[in-house]
């Protein structure tokens, strides 16, 4: 693509690509896409976006296409890689001018430059940094600002590279430019402060320069020095930040009338605190010399009369203090302080000297009485939208706001200095313990803050507070005050109960707790208080001392109130929260939940329909249904009209929402099968969803195969008649791509089919058995012992249950290999007897012993030549399965009689699936046939078949010690 000839065409196409008319836009996009691999295309784009006379929208689009092209085609190894000559042209244009007039395009050009720098700098673009620094020195404000913007993005990108050679290059770059950039920072900051003192209009531009330089320094300082403490320039820069912060904070006060400048100033201040936070996190040893200064700075600006300046600054200050207290580098070992490093001992000494009792007491009091207080905005938000207020408290944005940050700092300090701070906190509790005047909002908020602190520190106050007494004498009384303003205290008290219930609360007081929660769930209560009460209920039910019997008397009212709350809330997230509480109660109460769920069961289908666009709410509904099915047990058939279509939608890969619902849908499907009393056409029909699911990959393989096993037990012959072919082909396709663990899961399904259908089962897997037999015969060392053991156990069952199938498989493999079928059987027996010791599971070991014993009545040299090895293997199994009996002899301990207690063992918690599995287990030859008796019978038939002389000769193959053991087992 010739640049001069192609530029007008590309320019016109880009213009069409900016159109709002789809008929013009789509062809232009297709044409641009077809040019992506054309040589010279990106040179044309760079020429267009560097031409300031072209329309800004077209230039912006040109930069984007060029940026995407760098991502795909800049690397030399990429298909259709951009030629070196074209690369050189693009790079030359990027650093030829820094006069971009449009800020948005300037940002995209800076990002584009940084992407190229990541791949080429410095080896293939050594002119970049010197050119940038030269532009930064320019007196033209626009050139300097644009150069700084590019330098910021370049250093940010280079700093993100983590390979050792890349880090070494970035360290070299830092050594070259840090001193100059730090000097630039001081010059620009000084210029801004002078202009700000005069309220000069140019101070906005100067502050923007400060911000960009500071961003560059942040990356250089944190990622460009292996040990910043060894750099005088780095330490000088950090030390200067504190006095510079003082100056900027003073300057900020003079900007109250200028909101735009105030915001820009706060951004710079915030970035300065981020520099300190990054250095503390990445280089704690280098930060030791700044601990004292940092703590004093935080104390001055946050725990004195200066109060809250602005939220982001306070959050960063609190994180600095927390980071210092939390750092393992600064904590001496409690048991062996002599082995601590000098850095640790120095830091520990600074902390001890700084955090004297007066300082600790003041910090603790201000955190609780100043920063824990709900603000006027909080109360207004609560009043206007209680549900939204609760959502905001638990949302992602809340976690990064001031109050949770304050709570974390409080806990960090309290745990570190518990002995000093416990009396301070108990004093605050004592001072705010009695009911306060509901009309005195200041007193209400202060009590709320103190109760918040006591709840957060509950584990640390275990020995200091008699919670049972406090609960009965004070907290319950607080809940009885129904004044509107007192909702703040009611919400806090029920939260406090949730914090303490798992820490220190007598089991005997649980009913009183449930009654308190019930009183707060009524419709006349504030919605935020009701939601908090629901959450406390979940916490109480989740406790290890929870007793279903204590909760059952309240279940009717409780479930009704929770259900009404679920219907009343309107937000998806809140409905999920209430559903989660309901699900948890259902799960914990178990079968006892059935009488209380009728209304919920009727409501869930409507909620499901309403949540078409809210997949996460549907996931919550699926979880609730899982617990409902578990609670209903066999009676869950009442729910099938709703549940089965839900399972169908959730596990149908043709439905878009299956991406979100699949995991919970499979769990519900499995739980439904486990609790199904019998099969039904609708249940069987769901299996049509299974083959496509298994083609998706192995992420849900375990659960899918468990579902398949449940169908085999539940659907029995109906299921096998409908789906045996589909199941076999699906499993065969799976086995070509699975590792050992996945193969074992598939083989367990095959084993279950063989157990459930002793005669027909082997026919089902006729197509799969030859390849399995081939892998057994090869018996390669790299094959998993688990797989080989399972393969042998499967062939053992087939040999016992349907010998014709085994002979057919052997003949098929022998014809393919071109050897005699009896010789192939001999090879199988050699593997079997040689590797018998790898079969460790007792039931599979015994089935192999029974199968080998069944061969003793064959009159064939392949068997008789291996008579000794076969008997030896069977005796090994007898050692494993026989135990001494009351008569002093040996008995097969795997045989279960009708009088055996285990054969009749059933509990109320057993699912119908458990009973079906137990029934199949009782019918298994492993548990119905004594290996000793069967071996004696086979040996007698063998003796009759061969005659005494030949039988004696055969027994001569058996080691004399093994014969003695055999006689001991078979007396």
């Amino acid at each position: 693509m010739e640049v001069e000839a192609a530029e007008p065409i590309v320019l016109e196409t880009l213009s069409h690509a900016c159109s709002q008319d789809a008929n013009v836009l789509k062809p232009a996009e297709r044409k641009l896409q077809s040019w992506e691999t054309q040589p010279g295309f990106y040179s044309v784009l760079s020429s267009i976006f560097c031409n300031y006379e072209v329309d800004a929208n077209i230039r912006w689009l040109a930069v984007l296409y060029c940026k995407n092209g760098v991502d795909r085609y800049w690397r030399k190894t990429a298909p259709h890689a951009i030629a070196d000559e074209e690369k050189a042209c693009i790079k030359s244009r990027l650093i030829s001018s820094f006069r971009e007039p449009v800020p948005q395009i300037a940002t995209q050009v800076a990002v584009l430059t940084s992407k190229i720098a990541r791949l080429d700098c410095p080896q293939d673009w050594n002119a970049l940094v010197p050119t940038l620094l030269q532009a930064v020195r320019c007196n033209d404000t626009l050139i300097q600002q644009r150069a700084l913007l590019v330098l910021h993005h370049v250093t940010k990108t280079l700093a993100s590279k983590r390979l050792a050679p890349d880090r070494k290059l970035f360290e070299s770059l830092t050594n070259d430019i840090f001193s100059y950039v730090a000097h630039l920072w001081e010059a620009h900051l000084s210029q801004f402060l002078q202009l700000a003192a005069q309220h000069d209009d140019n101070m906005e531009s100067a502050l923007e320069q400060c911000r960009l330089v500071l961003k560059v320094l942040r990356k250089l300082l944190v990622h460009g020095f292996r040990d910043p403490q060894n750099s005088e320039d780095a330490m000088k820069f950090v030390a200067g930040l504190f006095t510079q912060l003082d100056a900027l904070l003073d300057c900020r006060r003079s900007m109250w009338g200028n909101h735009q400048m105030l915001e820009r100033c706060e951004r710079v201040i915030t970035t300065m605190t981020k520099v300190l936070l990054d250095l503390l996190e990445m280089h704690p040893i280098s930060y030791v010399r700044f601990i004292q200064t940092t703590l004093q700075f935080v104390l001055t600006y946050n725990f004195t009369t200066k109060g809250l300046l602005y939220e982001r600054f306070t959050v960063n200050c609190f994180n600095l203090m927390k980071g210092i207290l939390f750092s393992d580098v600064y904590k001496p070992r409690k048991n062996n302080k002599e082995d601590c490093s000098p850095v640790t001992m120095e830091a520990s000494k600074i902390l001890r000297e700084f955090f004297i009792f007066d300082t600790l007491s003041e910090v603790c009091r201000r955190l609780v009485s100043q920063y824990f207080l709900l603000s006027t905005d909080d109360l207004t938000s609560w009043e206007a939208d209680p549900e939204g207020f609760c959502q905001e408290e638990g949302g992602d944005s809340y976690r990064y706001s001031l109050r949770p940050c304050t709570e974390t700092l409080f806990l960090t300090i309290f745990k570190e200095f518990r002995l000093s701070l416990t009396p301070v906190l108990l004093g605050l509790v004592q001072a705010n313990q009695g009911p306060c005047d509901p009309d005195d909002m200041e007193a209400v908020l202060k009590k709320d803050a103190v109760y918040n602190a006591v709840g957060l520190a509950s584990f640390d106050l275990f020995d200091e507070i008699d919670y049972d007494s406090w609960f009965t004498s004070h907290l319950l009384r607080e809940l009885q005050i129904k004044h509107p303003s007192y909702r703040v205290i009611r919400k806090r008290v029920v939260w406090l109960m949730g914090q303490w219930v798992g820490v220190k609360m007598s089991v005997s007081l649980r009913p009183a707790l449930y009654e308190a929660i019930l009183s707060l769930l009524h419709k006349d209560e504030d919605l935020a208080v009701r939601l908090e009460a629901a959450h406390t209920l979940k916490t109480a039910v989740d406790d290890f001392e929870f007793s279903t019997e204590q909760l059952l008397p309240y279940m009717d009212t409780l479930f009704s109130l929770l259900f009404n709350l679920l219907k009343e809330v309107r937000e998806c997230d809140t409905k999920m929260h209430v559903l989660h509480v309901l699900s948890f109660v259902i799960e914990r109460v178990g079968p006892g939940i059935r009488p209380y769920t009728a209304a919920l069961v009727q409501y869930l289908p409507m909620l499901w329909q309403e949540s078409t666009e809210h997949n996460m709410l549907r996931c919550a509904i699926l979880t609730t249904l899982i617990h409902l099915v578990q609670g209903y047990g066999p009676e869950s058939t009442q729910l099938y009209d709703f549940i089965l279509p839900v399972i169908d939608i959730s596990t149908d890969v043709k439905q878009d929402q299956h991406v979100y619902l699949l995991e919970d849908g499979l769990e519900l499907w499995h739980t439904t099968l486990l609790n199904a009393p019998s099969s039904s056409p609708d249940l069987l029909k769901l299996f049509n969803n299974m083959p496509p699911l298994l083609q998706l990959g192995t992420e849900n393989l375990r659960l899918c195969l468990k579902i398949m096993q449940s169908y085999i037990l539940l659907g029995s012959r109906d299921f096998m008649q409908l789906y045996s072919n589909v199941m076999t082909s699906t499993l065969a396709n799976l086995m070509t791509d699975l590792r050992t663990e996945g193969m074992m899961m598939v083989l367990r399904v095959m084993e279950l089919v063989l157990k459930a259908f002793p005669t027909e089962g082997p026919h089902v897997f006729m197509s799969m058995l030859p390849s399995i037999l081939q892998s057994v015969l090869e018996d390669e060392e790299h094959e998993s012992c688990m797989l080989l053991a399972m393969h042998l156990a499967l062939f053992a069952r087939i040999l016992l249950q349907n010998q014709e199938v085994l002979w057919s498989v052997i003949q098929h493999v022998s014809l393919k290999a071109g050897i005699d079928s009896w010789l192939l059987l001999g090879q199988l027996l050699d593997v079997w007897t040689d590797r018998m010791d790898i079969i460790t599971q007792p039931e599979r070991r015994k089935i192999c012993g029974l199968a080998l014993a069944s061969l003793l009545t064959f009159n064939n040299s392949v068997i008789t030549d291996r008579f000794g090895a076969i008997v030896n293997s069977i005796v090994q199994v007898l050692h494993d399965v026989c135990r001494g009996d009351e008569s002093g002899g040996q008995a097969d301990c795997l045989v279960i009689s009708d009088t055996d207690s285990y054969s009749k063992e059933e509990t109320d918690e057993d699912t119908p699936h458990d009973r079906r599995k137990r029934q199949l287990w009782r019918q298994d030859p492993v548990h119905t046939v004594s290996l000793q008796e069967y071996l004696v019978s086979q040996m007698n038939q063998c003796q009759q078949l061969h005659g005494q002389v030949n039988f004696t000769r055969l027994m001569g193959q058996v080691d004399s010690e093994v014969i003695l053991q055999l006689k001991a087992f078979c007396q």
Side-chain angles (χ1 to χ4, degrees):
M1 183 179 283
E2 290 292 334
V3 176
E4 292 182 4
E7 187 169 331
I9 301 172
V10 175
L11 186 61
E12 182 183 13
T13 308
L14 286 169
S15 176
H16 290 166
C18 294
S19 172
Q20 300 297 314
D21 184 350
N23 295 323
V24 177
L25 170 67
K26 294 298 180 183
E29 287 182 338
R30 286 195 292 271
K31 192 176 289 186
L32 287 168
Q33 188 175 5
S34 70
W35 288 338
E36 284 182 358
T37 56
Q38 289 291 316
F41 176 59
Y42 297 102
S43 293
V44 174
L45 290 176
S46 66
S47 175
I48 290 171
F49 69 70
C50 287
N51 184 351
Y52 305 145
E53 295 180 0
V54 176
D55 179 76
N57 291 326
I58 295 175
R59 294 198 299 117
W60 186 77
L61 192 60
V63 178
L64 291 185
Y65 268 96
C66 194
K67 190 171 69 173
N68 293 335
V70 168
D71 284 336
R72 295 173 188 168
Y73 308 115
W74 196 270
R75 292 181 187 275
K76 294 179 180 179
T77 56
H80 309 289
I82 299 171
D84 290 342
E85 296 79 8
E86 189 173 359
K87 288 181 181 179
C89 176
I90 295 169
K91 288 188 287 191
S92 174
R93 283 203 178 103
L94 286 173
I95 59 175
S96 62
S97 173
F98 296 99
R99 289 186 172 277
E100 174 56 57
V102 182
Q104 293 86 346
I105 298 177
T107 300
Q108 293 300 326
V109 170
V111 172
L112 169 62
T113 306
S114 71
K115 285 179 176 291
I116 297 173
R118 182 179 183 88
L119 299 172
D120 284 10
C121 191
Q123 295 94 328
D124 297 325
W125 201 6
N126 54 17
L128 174 61
V129 175
T131 305
L132 287 174
L133 293 178
Q134 184 179 353
V136 165
R137 293 186 181 95
C138 179
N139 293 326
D140 188 308
T141 304
L142 178 63
I143 293 176
Q144 191 179 67
Q145 196 277 333
R146 296 297 187 246
L148 281 171
L149 179 65
V150 175
L151 183 62
H152 157 54
H153 283 281
V154 168
T155 52
K156 181 180 177 181
T157 299
L158 296 180
S160 67
K161 300 176 78 171
R162 289 292 175 263
L163 294 178
D166 295 324
R167 295 187 69 171
K168 193 171 181 180
L169 284 172
F170 191 69
E171 288 171 11
S172 176
L173 172 67
T174 301
N175 287 328
D176 290 340
I177 71 172
F178 186 88
S179 177
Y180 172 73
V181 180
H183 174 73
L184 205 60
W185 156 251
E186 291 179 0
H188 281 304
L189 183 61
S190 177
Q191 181 188 12
F192 164 72
L193 292 173
Q194 289 175 11
L195 293 172
Q198 302 164 13
H199 296 282
D200 192 296
D201 291 341
N202 293 321
M203 64 180 177
E204 183 177 338
S205 174
L207 190 60
E208 180 62 17
Q209 311 286 59
C210 288
R211 188 177 69 86
L212 289 172
V213 174
L214 185 61
K215 285 189 171 186
V216 173
L217 283 169
R218 181 184 174 191
K219 295 300 179 183
L220 294 176
L221 174 70
V222 176
H223 301 287
F225 292 107
R226 193 162 296 179
D227 295 303
Q229 67 198 27
N230 296 331
S231 168
E232 185 180 341
D233 290 330
M235 293 296 94
K236 180 183 176 183
F237 164 67
V238 177
L241 286 176
F242 295 97
T243 54
Q244 291 161 358
L245 275 166
D246 289 334
L248 277 173
L249 288 165
D250 286 338
C251 181
R252 174 183 171 274
R253 293 192 189 94
S254 64
M255 296 180 180
W256 279 111
N258 189 337
H259 295 293
Q260 185 175 356
M261 279 305 301
L262 182 67
E263 184 180 341
R264 288 176 178 272
C265 186
E266 287 178 351
R267 277 191 210 160
V268 175
I269 294 170
T270 301
T271 305
M272 292 169 76
T273 57
K274 286 181 179 178
V275 173
L276 298 174
L277 281 167
D278 287 352
L279 184 65
L280 173 61
E281 180 185 358
M282 301 296 292
H283 302 284
I285 294 176
S286 297
Y287 202 86
V288 169
R289 67 178 70 183
F290 305 113
I291 291 178
Q292 168 73 29
T293 312
T294 302
L295 293 175
Q296 189 59 56
F297 177 83
V298 173
L299 192 68
T300 301
Y301 282 99
N302 299 276
F303 297 104
T304 62
T305 53
K306 291 192 177 186
L308 176 62
L309 295 180
Y310 67 96
E311 186 170 296
R312 188 69 251 176
F313 172 73
T314 305
V315 167
N316 284 356
C317 284
F318 284 2
N319 284 335
L320 278 168
M321 183 175 279
K322 182 187 70 176
I324 290 169
L325 290 170
F326 222 67
S327 175
D328 290 332
V329 176
Y330 303 156
K331 287 183 179 178
R333 296 172 187 168
K334 292 182 179 179
N335 300 327
N336 194 0
K337 293 186 178 182
E338 291 78 10
D339 289 346
C340 293
S341 68
V343 170
T344 302
M345 297 308 295
E346 181 185 354
S348 177
K349 180 174 179 290
I350 294 170
L351 291 173
R352 283 197 312 273
E353 292 175 352
F354 182 83
F355 284 109
I356 58 176
F357 177 77
D358 288 345
T359 302
L360 285 170
S361 177
E362 184 65 19
V363 168
C364 180
R365 289 179 188 279
R366 284 191 178 269
L367 283 173
V368 175
S369 62
Q370 182 176 339
Y371 292 101
F372 275 21
L373 296 181
L374 290 172
S375 67
T376 304
D377 289 344
D378 291 330
L379 295 174
T380 303
S381 173
W382 184 345
E383 186 69 39
D385 183 10
E387 189 177 338
F389 174 74
C390 291
Q391 275 189 13
E392 198 173 296
E393 277 197 318
D396 289 336
S397 59
Y398 174 76
R399 285 199 290 273
Y400 301 104
S401 60
L402 179 57
R403 201 154 1 113
C405 177
T406 304
E407 292 170 354
T408 305
L409 176 61
F410 168 79
L411 269 179
T412 304
I413 293 177
F414 197 87
K415 288 180 181 297
E416 193 71 25
F417 305 102
R418 184 172 60 85
L419 294 178
S420 298
L421 290 179
T422 296
V424 178
L425 185 54
L426 292 178
L428 289 172
V429 174
Q430 194 69 34
N432 293 273
Q433 190 158 262
C436 61
D437 181 2
D439 291 321
D440 184 354
M441 203 61 200
E442 185 179 342
V444 168
L445 294 179
K446 189 173 181 181
K447 178 190 281 283
D448 171 73
V450 172
Y451 281 8
N452 187 11
V454 175
L456 292 171
S458 56
F459 283 98
D460 297 292
L461 295 173
F462 181 90
D463 295 322
E464 310 299 333
I465 290 180
D466 182 355
Y467 179 74
D468 287 354
S469 174
W470 192 34
F471 173 78
T472 53
S473 62
H474 288 88
L475 297 182
L476 290 178
R477 286 166 54 197
E478 302 268 26
L479 297 179
Q480 295 167 10
I481 302 173
K482 297 301 182 181
H483 190 283
S485 297
Y486 224 73
R487 72 185 190 276
V488 175
I489 302 301
R490 293 195 299 277
K491 182 176 183 294
R492 180 61 65 192
V493 167
V494 76
W495 170 85
L496 182 65
M497 292 173 174
Q499 294 293 106
W500 276 87
V501 69
V503 177
K504 189 180 184 182
M505 185 179 192
S506 298
V507 176
S508 60
L509 290 178
R510 293 303 175 93
L513 173 63
Y514 299 142
E515 290 174 9
I517 291 171
L518 282 175
S519 71
L520 299 176
L521 284 172
H522 286 280
K523 196 165 186 177
D524 57 353
E525 181 58 84
D526 181 89
L527 182 57
V529 178
R530 294 163 68 193
L531 290 170
E532 193 65 67
H535 185 75
T536 295
L537 174 66
K538 177 189 172 296
T539 305
V541 170
D542 192 25
D543 186 57
F544 72 96
E545 290 188 319
F546 168 74
S547 166
T548 304
E549 289 70 26
Q550 286 183 314
L551 185 63
L552 281 178
Y554 308 99
M555 276 304 302
D556 199 1
T557 309
L558 187 62
F559 222 83
S560 175
L561 292 171
L562 285 172
F563 175 62
N564 289 335
L565 179 60
L566 176 63
K567 290 197 297 181
E568 184 178 340
V569 296
R570 67 186 188 281
E571 297 291 340
C572 177
D573 287 348
T574 320
K575 285 186 180 293
M576 286 171 55
H577 169 70
V578 180
L579 261 180
H580 186 57
V581 175
L582 281 163
S583 298
F584 214 82
V585 173
I586 292 168
E587 181 184 19
R588 294 290 276 162
V589 174
I593 202 69
R594 295 172 196 171
Y596 313 107
T597 56
L600 177 65
V601 168
Q602 291 176 3
Y603 174 68
L604 284 178
M606 183 176 70
L607 184 61
W608 180 266
Q609 292 301 324
E610 292 175 352
S611 60
T612 307
E613 303 299 323
H614 302 286
N615 290 307
M616 298 313 295
L617 178 54
R618 285 197 158 188
C619 288
I621 295 171
L622 286 168
T623 302
T624 304
L625 289 173
I626 291 167
H627 294 140
L628 276 172
V629 170
Q630 290 170 338
Y632 271 64
E635 296 178 27
S636 58
T637 51
Q638 303 170 27
L639 312 175
Y640 278 9
D641 288 345
F642 173 45
I643 283 180
L644 298 190
V646 165
I647 294 173
D648 187 28
I649 290 172
S650 303
T651 60
D652 184 357
V653 298
K654 294 190 291 293
Q655 302 285 340
D656 292 339
Q657 59 264 46
H658 88 273
V659 176
Y660 306 97
L661 308 180
L662 181 57
E663 188 173 348
D664 293 310
L666 286 172
E667 192 64 51
L668 176 60
W669 191 358
H670 184 230
T671 304
T672 301
L673 293 172
L674 295 184
N675 290 278
S678 60
S679 182
S680 71
D682 288 337
L683 261 180
L684 288 174
K685 187 179 177 182
L686 283 176
F687 194 79
N688 290 322
N689 288 0
M690 184 56 69
L693 287 173
L694 290 172
Q695 293 171 12
L696 287 178
T698 59
E699 186 176 347
N700 295 295
L701 178 63
R702 185 182 300 277
L703 197 48
C704 286
L705 293 180
K706 282 185 176 181
I707 289 170
M708 196 178 287
Q709 289 176 310
S710 299
Y711 268 116
I712 292 166
L713 288 177
L714 172 67
S716 194
R717 295 192 181 280
D718 290 340
F719 172 74
M720 294 302 291
Q721 287 171 2
L722 285 169
Y723 295 110
S724 60
N725 291 336
V726 173
M727 180 180 68
T728 304
S729 61
T730 304
L731 294 180
N733 290 333
L734 268 178
M735 291 182 72
T736 58
D737 299 320
L738 293 178
R739 296 181 180 179
T740 299
E741 185 181 0
M743 291 277 284
M744 286 297 294
M745 288 189 279
V746 171
L747 293 173
R748 289 189 194 104
V749 175
M750 296 176 64
E751 184 181 45
L752 182 62
V753 172
L754 296 179
K755 287 181 180 180
F757 304 97
T759 305
E760 305 94 326
H763 287 285
V764 173
F765 301 113
M766 276 290 290
S767 61
M768 299 172 64
L769 292 173
S771 62
I772 294 177
L773 177 59
Q774 192 67 47
S775 66
V776 170
L777 294 174
E778 291 171 358
D779 188 23
E780 297 176 359
E781 291 183 5
H782 66 263
E783 183 179 15
S784 165
C785 290
M786 288 192 300
L787 285 178
L788 181 58
M790 180 62 99
H791 289 158
L792 293 174
L794 290 177
F795 281 118
R797 285 193 176 277
I798 296 171
L799 178 59
L800 281 174
Q801 296 167 190
N802 194 327
Q803 292 181 359
E804 291 182 4
V805 170
L806 182 61
W807 304 138
S808 175
V809 171
I810 288 175
Q811 287 173 356
H812 177 86
V813 175
S814 64
L815 282 172
K816 191 174 179 181
I819 59 174
D820 182 74
S821 57
W822 284 104
L823 180 60
L824 198 69
L825 174 63
Q827 293 176 7
L828 174 60
L829 289 176
D830 290 338
V831 174
W832 211 328
T833 53
D834 287 346
R835 306 299 302 276
M836 194 71 175
D837 58 321
I838 69 169
I839 308 171
T840 56
Q841 207 259 359
E843 283 81 1
R844 293 190 186 118
R845 235 173 128 67
K846 180 176 173 180
I847 202 72
C848 287
L850 289 170
L852 288 173
S854 72
L855 294 172
L856 294 177
T857 54
F858 280 68
N859 189 7
N860 186 281
S861 61
V862 170
I863 309 296
T864 56
D865 289 349
R866 294 166 174 80
F867 185 87
I870 292 172
V871 171
N872 184 57
S873 296
I874 297 170
V875 171
Q876 286 182 42
V877 177
L878 285 170
H879 277 290
D880 293 323
V881 302
C882 291
R883 299 289 183 271
D885 59 14
E886 295 176 357
S887 63
Q890 296 281 326
D892 188 334
C893 65
L894 294 181
V895 175
I896 306 298
S897 65
D898 292 337
T899 59
D900 194 294
S901 60
Y902 185 74
S903 69
K904 299 180 180 180
E905 181 185 344
E906 287 188 6
T907 68
D908 293 337
E909 295 180 359
D910 280 351
T911 64
H913 177 81
D914 294 327
R915 298 186 183 100
R916 289 188 286 268
K917 197 160 62 171
R918 187 179 289 108
Q919 183 61 35
L920 182 63
W921 180 81
R922 290 173 184 148
Q923 299 168 359
D924 195 322
V926 170
H927 302 296
T928 58
V929 178
S930 166
L931 179 58
Q932 293 163 287
E933 295 175 7
Y934 184 63
L935 178 59
V936 170
S937 171
Q938 288 294 96
M939 294 287 274
N940 288 334
Q941 291 185 48
C942 180
Q943 187 176 12
Q944 293 172 13
L945 176 67
H946 294 288
Q948 184 59 49
V949 174
N950 287 332
F951 181 72
T952 302
R953 181 177 57 80
L954 289 173
M955 289 299 292
Q957 297 180 27
V958 184
D959 186 90
S960 58
E961 182 62 32
V962 174
I963 292 176
L964 292 175
Q965 296 171 18
L966 181 63
K967 288 179 179 179
F969 283 118
C970 300
Q971 284 177 350

